Amino acid sequence: MAQIYQLFKRAMDRYSVQGKELAGIVGISPTHLSEFRNGKKWVSQETFTALLEGMDQLSPGSKHYFCELLAGEQLGETENSSKSLIKMIEAADEEEMEAALLAIGRKWKKMMQNQPISGSHNPGLESAIAV
């Protein structure tokens, strides 16, 4: 099982939270934050809470993501799904983007196959989606 500092580092990395900026908001040294992220030193409960709040202030959704990592499951949605999807896309790495685009292509193709043919149907689009 991953340690808390590893999950915290993962959330910071996924949401592109800069350590120096977060340390400044929380009022700790960048070195102290780095030592925590690397598992060399622990922080107080108050500092940890401030780190989570500061991370979420810099990159909304990052605290929720950390909590999901900690719980080992997706937690209930706190915002509408389109905003959540946008945040996930913005935070995605190259591999996750490729998987998402393939899923979108499959869904689009399935939707197009289930629609009745009309005058506005674009057969070129259907053949362009080779998923």
Side-chain angles (χ1 to χ4, degrees):
M1 183 172 156
Q3 298 291 321
I4 288 177
Y5 68 87
Q6 293 169 322
L7 300 177
F8 186 80
K9 181 181 185 317
R10 188 168 158 193
M12 280 185 66
D13 291 346
R14 177 156 185 168
Y15 280 81
S16 303
V17 174
Q18 299 298 311
K20 187 174 182 179
E21 193 174 6
L22 178 57
I25 287 175
V26 174
I28 63 173
S29 72
T31 303
H32 191 182
L33 176 57
S34 177
E35 289 172 339
F36 168 66
R37 282 180 43 136
N38 293 311
K40 295 179 181 176
K41 287 193 177 179
W42 189 242
V43 294
S44 69
Q45 181 178 345
E46 294 79 18
T47 300
F48 186 67
T49 300
L51 285 169
L52 287 173
E53 295 299 326
M55 182 171 63
D56 207 55
Q57 179 183 340
L58 292 170
S59 187
S62 56
K63 177 178 156 184
H64 184 81
Y65 177 71
F66 168 80
C67 292
E68 287 181 340
L69 291 175
L70 190 60
E73 62 185 65
Q74 188 171 7
L75 304 175
E77 293 297 316
T78 57
E79 55 187 272
N80 74 41
S81 59
S82 64
K83 284 184 181 178
S84 179
L85 180 59
I86 290 168
K87 286 180 184 177
M88 288 173 55
I89 290 169
E90 289 173 348
D93 62 23
E94 188 175 312
E95 187 176 295
E96 292 167 327
M97 284 299 298
E98 181 180 358
L101 289 171
L102 286 170
I104 290 168
R106 284 186 202 104
K107 174 131 178 130
W108 185 272
K109 184 175 182 180
K110 189 175 184 178
M111 287 171 54
M112 296 308 290
Q113 289 173 345
N114 292 333
Q115 288 187 358
I117 297 176
S118 67
S120 63
H121 182 71
N122 184 349
L125 180 61
E126 189 174 279
S127 63
I129 302 174
V131 178

